[in-house]
Amino acid sequence: MSEYEISIVGTGFVGLVTAVCFADRGIKTICSTRNEKNAELINQGIPPFFENGLAELLKKVVDEGNLVCVTSREEAVLKSDVTLIIVGTPFNHIDKSINLDYMKQAGTDIGKALAKKDDYHLVAVRSTVVPGTSRNMVGKELTELSGKELGKDIGLVMQPEFLAEGRSIEDTFWPDRIVIGEYDERSGETLQKLYERFYGDHIGENCPIIRMNIESAELVKYANNSFLATKISFINEISRIAELVPGVDVGKVSNGIGLDYRINHRFLNSGVGWGGSCFPKDLNAIVAFSRSKGLEAKLIQSAIDVNDDQALHAIELAEELLGSFNGKTIALLGLAFKPGTDDMRYAPSRRIASKAVSLGAKVKGYDPKAKESAEEAFGQDGTEIVFVDSVEEVVKDTDCAIVCAEWDEFLELKPEFFINNMRTPCVVDGRRIYDALEFSKQLKYRIIGHKLE
Ligand code: UDX
């Protein structure tokens, strides 16, 4: 047995959370990143980014000596028995297909390291990759560069992760299933044994381990994210239909269908749509993958199209209240793609701000956690907005407030707050957080999915 049981290549949000959770269960873990500054921070017990609960847990496992971070992938691989690849798989901006450069490089580096190792080593792909990647790209790099044989000297599995930002530690500790795509039985068995130890009694009826071939497991991840995103786009389309009929509230409709056990109520909250690091990238990647094989994935493409329109629907609702945007000042409440994170990737607030500016408005934005990342994201977009440090400041002297992310501190705001602080009290409730009747009685108010009678 090696000095560390597990090595993790990549210390982004999924990589670091996974590393910390393994280490917390007493499994000695070594992670690697090329970023020296991040490695230093991690070794001091400081996460390089914000994620709920991560700072406390990282400090604990580093102090206990169960987690270290190095800058050499070779060192990480050689000092462990199992390597998890958790690197980014972004999309190419031109055709929106998946960019596998980091994945290929990981395969190359691990392959080179394994050339120097005598014992059996298991490699697990945890990143989201289109079907065929783990076997044909990673497997190929591993064997060619190590000179060893898959299934004999090296094991290979693909195990998709289902972590959501903001609750990724809970998601890691309490998954509802573990999917293992295996190259051969020994590979699958090795990973299954590790998880049986890691999860103990949690494995069973509430969390089965399901095993399949590698490509099926790769597709599970895309199917999972596509289904969830489609569910949201579906309820957003229903919300637009609801708005055609005064008095119909999409919240009631959502509740009405969510109680059907075949549907369930999760991911049926209508709003300004989905963003983040996974849904946009993964849906586009699987559409591009299908297209490359001659199939148009029409339903998934529609889920993307509905979502693209949905953020801009907040602008249409604001226009109903304001007439024109020209010369007006708009306040954006919440900039991150959802509460509990500072992640600005594909955040609906970006499209809303950019549209408002193009229509001649000035935009102010406030987010409890995402100020720095928002400054960077809006800078990249070339959208000029003013960032402030409190919800009072953001609504001060503005003409319309648009709720883009439902942070807790916005939930308790009352109509008086907007009336007392805004130049013209108008609210567009893009996340359906306020009591529509209460608000609409006191100020100009629009809510997604409910045209008031
Ligand atoms: C998602 C998946 O949940 C996770 O399993 C996968 O591994 C990565 O992608 P994440 O992007 O972190 O996780 O966030 P999630 O909580 O799923 O929300 C995604 C987006 O959907 C957010 O913009 C959120 O605001 C939006 N959303 C979610 C809705 O608009 N309505 C809902 O009912 C639920």
Side-chain angles (χ1 to χ4, degrees), residues 14-42:
V14 179
L16 189 56
V17 166
T18 306
V20 162
C21 290
F22 270 115
D24 185 57
R25 294 278 161 98
I27 295 175
K28 288 192 88 107
T29 303
I30 180 167
C31 55
S32 79
T33 170
R34 296 237 167 89
N35 185 321
E36 280 179 28
K37 201 172 133 224
N38 284 356
E40 225 169 86
L41 283 171
I42 292 168

Side-chain angles (χ1 to χ4, degrees), residues 13-14 51 128 160-168 171 177 221 224-225 228-229 231-233 235-236 254 265-280 282 307 336-339 341 343 345-348 404-406 430-431:
F13 122 86
V14 179
E51 172 63 15
T128 302
E161 53 78 19
F162 304 102
L163 312 189
E165 290 182 43
R167 46 169 206 273
S168 60
D171 286 347
R177 80 301 205 189
K221 175 60 189 264
N224 208 84
N225 275 352
L228 291 172
K231 211 172 167 188
I232 302 168
S233 284
I235 200 66
N236 282 336
S254 166
H265 63 274
R266 296 180 191 90
F267 280 68
L268 279 183
N269 293 322
S270 169
V272 286
W274 39 266
S277 61
C278 290
F279 288 174
D282 293 346
N307 192 59
F337 82 97
K338 68 173 188 180
T341 170
D343 198 331
R345 282 174 283 182
Y346 299 91
C404 299
E406 65 279 30
R431 290 292 182 183

Side-chain angles (χ1 to χ4, degrees), residues 352-367:
I352 294 171
S354 145
K355 184 73 184 172
V357 169
S358 75
L359 292 170
K362 288 206 173 76
V363 177
K364 286 208 270 176
Y366 166 65
D367 189 285

Side-chain angles (χ1 to χ4, degrees), residues 16 21 107 144 146 178 254 258 298 381 383 415 445:
L16 189 56
C21 290
E144 281 182 3
S146 67
I178 292 168
S254 166
K298 291 186 199 153
D381 295 349
T383 308
Y445 177 78

Side-chain angles (χ1 to χ4, degrees), residues 22 37 118-119 211 213 218 286 292 300 311 329 334 344 377 402:
F22 270 115
K37 201 172 133 224
D118 295 327
D119 303 331
R211 285 168 55 180
N213 73 4
E218 290 169 327
I286 201 67
S292 75
I300 302 175
T329 306
M344 287 296 299
I402 304 178

